[in-house]
């Protein structure tokens, strides 16, 4: 009997997608991934080194995993943070539950899923203070990964609602040697950052049906993250904030600021 897994649907965002600053690096496949420093309000640039892509984080800052579905079809994204499934808390594996993105959708995953309406924020922490280390799983601290599945083709004579009571059947377990999301220990120095289990905040999702088109992921991506100091020790030349290619914006402020003190 095939096992039924709950799948979660990201609620649609507002009606437009502003150009990211700086733009994410091009990646082959339906989905692009970037990390966003929520305290600075900027998307973090990634840098190539050792056959991987690296991002410089800052301890104590909240961050989000930004997902872009560039395809014309829905996709399922299984999200791994420090080797842990960000929804279920299990050791991450592509066969597990994930987020479903609509065609062309951008979504920010801001934390560890606690309920359908709440997450615990992703926060750059010390490696020992990371959620993975605190739950006895320190081996993959410092890596964010996704396994992406395309949806089996279905023909609808008219638009159908996307909300469902339960998930569709999950495929048989994929070949772990080909599709498991794995972290890699740093070659020259111990990692300086992990992902902590931060404060609770609202974040609503819904259950939905999703039938995977293939048993193995159509795409597997990962981003390594560490302190700027460790990245420079690897020989990675980081852009300073003043050198980033930032374009003028007509509406630069996102929220209402506090009034001046009297």
């Amino acid at each position: 009997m095939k096992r039924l897994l709950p799948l979660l649907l990201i609620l649609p965002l507002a009606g437009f997608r502003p150009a990211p600053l700086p733009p994410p690096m091009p990646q082959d496949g339906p989905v692009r991934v970037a990390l966003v420093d929520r305290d600075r309000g900027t998307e973090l640039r990634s840098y190539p080194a050792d056959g991987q892509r690296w991002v410089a984080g800052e301890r104590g800052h909240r961050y989000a995993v930004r997902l872009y579905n560039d395809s014309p079809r829905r996709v399922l994204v299984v999200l791994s943070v420090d080797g842990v499934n960000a929804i279920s808390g299990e050791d991450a594996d592509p066969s597990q539950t994930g987020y479903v993105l609509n065609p062309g959708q951008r979504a920010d995953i801001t934390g560890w899923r606690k309920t359908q309406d709440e997450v615990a924020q992703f926060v750059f922490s010390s490696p020992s203070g990371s959620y993975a280390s605190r739950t006895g799983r320190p081996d993959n601290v410092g890596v964010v990964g996704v396994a992406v599945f395309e949806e089996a083709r279905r023909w609808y004579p008219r638009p159908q609602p996307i909300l469902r009571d339960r998930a569709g059947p999950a495929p048989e377990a994929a070949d772990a040697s080909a599709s498991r999301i794995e972290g890699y220990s740093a070659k020259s120095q111990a990692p300086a950052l992990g992902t902590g289990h931060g404060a609770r905040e609202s974040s609503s999702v819904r259950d939905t049906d999703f039938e995977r088109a293939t048993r193995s992921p159509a795409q597997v991506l990962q981003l390594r993250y560490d302190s700027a100091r460790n990245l420079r020790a690897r020989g990675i030349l980081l852009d300073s904030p003043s050198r980033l290619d930032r374009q003028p914006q007509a509406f630069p402020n996102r929220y209402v600021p506090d009034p001046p003190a009297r």
Side-chain angles (χ1 to χ4, degrees):
M1 177 180 295
K2 292 185 176 180
R3 188 160 54 106
L4 298 180
L5 292 176
L7 303 177
L8 296 175
L9 172 70
I10 296 289
L11 293 181
L13 300 177
F16 69 93
R17 296 194 302 174
L21 299 171
M25 299 301 295
Q27 297 164 333
D28 294 332
V31 170
R32 290 177 289 132
V33 180
L35 300 188
V36 178
D37 186 318
R38 299 176 64 197
D39 291 322
R40 293 188 182 277
T42 57
E43 188 169 291
L44 299 175
R45 188 183 296 276
S46 65
Y47 302 87
D50 302 327
Q52 302 179 71
R53 299 209 68 86
W54 294 80
V55 171
E58 189 168 345
R59 188 177 296 187
H61 284 212
R62 300 169 303 154
Y63 79 88
V65 181
R66 178 164 290 174
L67 305 172
Y68 297 85
N69 178 13
D70 293 329
S71 76
R73 299 167 62 186
R74 294 203 311 172
V75 296
L76 167 66
V77 180
V78 181
L79 175 60
S80 167
V81 177
D82 293 350
V84 178
N85 185 300
I87 294 176
S88 68
E90 302 169 279
D91 291 345
D93 187 275
S95 65
Q96 295 165 349
T97 185
Y99 289 103
V100 177
L101 273 64
N102 288 318
Q105 184 177 0
R106 189 196 81 183
D108 286 358
I109 312 301
T110 59
W112 307 99
R113 175 75 33 200
K114 308 303 291 185
T115 69
Q116 285 198 324
D117 297 307
E118 194 175 48
V119 296
Q121 295 170 353
F122 292 144
V123 180
F124 288 123
S125 69
S126 67
S128 62
S130 67
Y131 176 76
S133 292
R134 291 173 64 189
T135 55
R137 297 170 288 181
D139 292 345
N140 295 307
V141 168
V143 60
V144 172
V146 297
V148 181
F149 291 85
E150 296 181 332
E151 189 170 21
R153 293 186 180 275
R154 293 181 289 180
W155 169 253
Y156 293 131
R158 65 178 69 89
Q160 297 291 312
I162 57 178
L163 182 61
R164 297 290 190 272
D165 293 330
R166 61 194 305 179
E172 299 289 336
D175 180 2
S177 64
S179 60
R180 182 182 296 274
I181 302 172
E182 297 179 346
Y184 300 86
S185 60
K187 295 179 180 178
S188 57
Q189 63 280 320
L193 293 179
T195 297
H197 185 277
R200 301 287 186 99
E201 70 178 28
S202 297
S203 173
S204 295
V205 293
R206 300 180 290 173
D207 287 338
T208 187
D209 280 336
F210 189 95
E211 182 181 353
R212 305 181 194 209
T214 57
R215 294 172 56 183
S216 297
Q219 181 185 23
V220 176
L221 295 172
Q222 72 173 30
L223 280 175
R224 296 287 303 276
Y225 66 88
D226 209 335
S227 66
R229 179 178 180 177
N230 274 6
L231 265 58
R232 291 190 182 98
R234 287 180 170 273
I236 300 173
L237 300 178
L238 305 180
D239 289 329
S240 65
S242 63
R243 292 175 56 195
L244 293 180
D245 183 18
R246 189 181 189 283
Q247 301 298 323
Q249 298 182 66
F251 303 97
N253 294 323
R254 296 177 58 190
Y255 302 109
V256 177
D258 292 337
R262 294 183 177 179

